[in-house]
Structure formats: structure tokens, C-alpha cells
Amino acid sequence: VVVGAKTDDQIIITGSTLAKSRTLGLLEKDDQQNFYLSGVKDNNSGLTKHKLNLLIQYTSDKWRAYKTATFCDKWQGCSDGEKINIIVTSKSANNCTGFKCDYTEKMELELSSEFLATNYNMGFSVNFASAKTSNKITIPSAYLKAYIQLTE
């Protein structure tokens, strides 16, 4: 975990990047998912704003255009939760041949300190969804505990 830029007013905290690949089909290239927690701590108020950052790389004939996220329950069911809008920070397409391109979508999901504290012992899972597919990622409790210790 990295404690980044410090100014008189704030400290930027960036957790280590976790990586996961996901197979969609036998003939498809695996999705690559890189994700981490980050925060900006205001030294004046003592409050920290947290984000879950996710980068998804995939090969497809079109953009997936991720729009929402849903928190999963302790049984890993992700369909019943409230859909939360995500912030897409960048998109790119490369290596386009024939009908397919390699796409990269970067997105953020804001998290409250209360949410992180509630999930401190169990970690949490989030399902990021587009119109056609979804990608579930899990933040393990050990990772979450290490991140929270840095923000205190």
C-alpha cells in the first residue's frame, strides 16, 4: 500500500493493485481486471473519501459501456442490491482487426467510511454491469484491514 502525495491539506492513499482474469468462452480472450482502493484524507476535517478503482480490459466487437455497480450479499448474490451509478474515468480501443478491438474501461465507485467499517471483517464483493455483461470483483478482508489502517 502506498501513501502518496502529501500537501498541508490532504494525504492521498492508494492500496496495492489486485488482478484477476475471467474466462467468458472457449474462443474468447480472458477479461483482465485490475482493482484497488484509494482515498483522499482531508487533514483539516479528518474525513477520508474512498473509491474502488477498476480497470477492465477485454476483446469484443463493441464497447460494453459499464454504467452501474451492485454490492453482493454474503452469499455472493449480486442481483438484489440497489444499482449505484459508477464514474467512468477513461475508455480506449486498440489493436482493432476485422470486427474486434481490445478495449479498456476505467471506472470508480465511491465508498463511505461506514461501508468499509461494516465490511471490515468479511471484505466485500461488487458486481459492475453493462447492458450485456457483468464483472464481479472481491476485496478480501485482509486487504480491507490493511487499507483502513493506513487511513486512520
Side-chain angles (χ1 to χ4, degrees), residues 54-56 58 63-66 90-91 104-107:
L54 172 62
L55 176 142
I56 299 177
Y58 58 92
W63 289 103
R64 290 186 185 160
Y66 289 87
S90 72
K91 293 166 66 166
T104 301
E105 294 188 51
K106 289 184 183 179
M107 55 207 89

Side-chain angles (χ1 to χ4, degrees), residues 2 13 41 49 106 111 140-141 152:
V2 177
I13 302 126
K41 184 172 185 173
K49 291 184 179 181
K106 289 184 183 179
L111 303 172
S141 62
E152 294 175 343

Side-chain angles (χ1 to χ4, degrees), residues 108-143:
E108 298 175 344
L109 176 63
E110 293 181 9
L111 303 172
S112 70
S113 293
E114 295 78 19
F115 174 83
L116 296 180
T118 300
N119 290 283
Y120 184 79
N121 287 319
M122 292 189 45
F124 63 94
S125 294
V126 182
N127 198 45
F128 287 82
S130 69
K132 295 227 177 214
T133 191
S134 63
N135 289 62
K136 183 170 80 169
I137 60 167
T138 298
I139 300 293
S141 62
Y143 179 99

Side-chain angles (χ1 to χ4, degrees), residues 70-104:
T70 308
F71 292 108
C72 306
D73 60 31
K74 64 183 174 183
W75 300 281
Q76 297 301 309
C78 307
S79 59
D80 293 338
E82 171 190 350
K83 288 186 177 4
I84 303 157
N85 289 329
I86 59 173
I87 300 160
V88 176
T89 58
S90 72
K91 293 166 66 166
S92 64
N94 295 301
N95 301 324
C96 296
T97 56
F99 298 104
K100 295 191 178 214
C101 291
D102 293 335
Y103 294 103
T104 301

Side-chain angles (χ1 to χ4, degrees), residues 37-52:
L37 294 174
S38 66
V40 177
K41 184 172 185 173
D42 184 312
N43 287 334
N44 298 320
S45 68
L47 298 176
T48 304
K49 291 184 179 181
H50 307 280
K51 290 180 187 171
L52 173 57

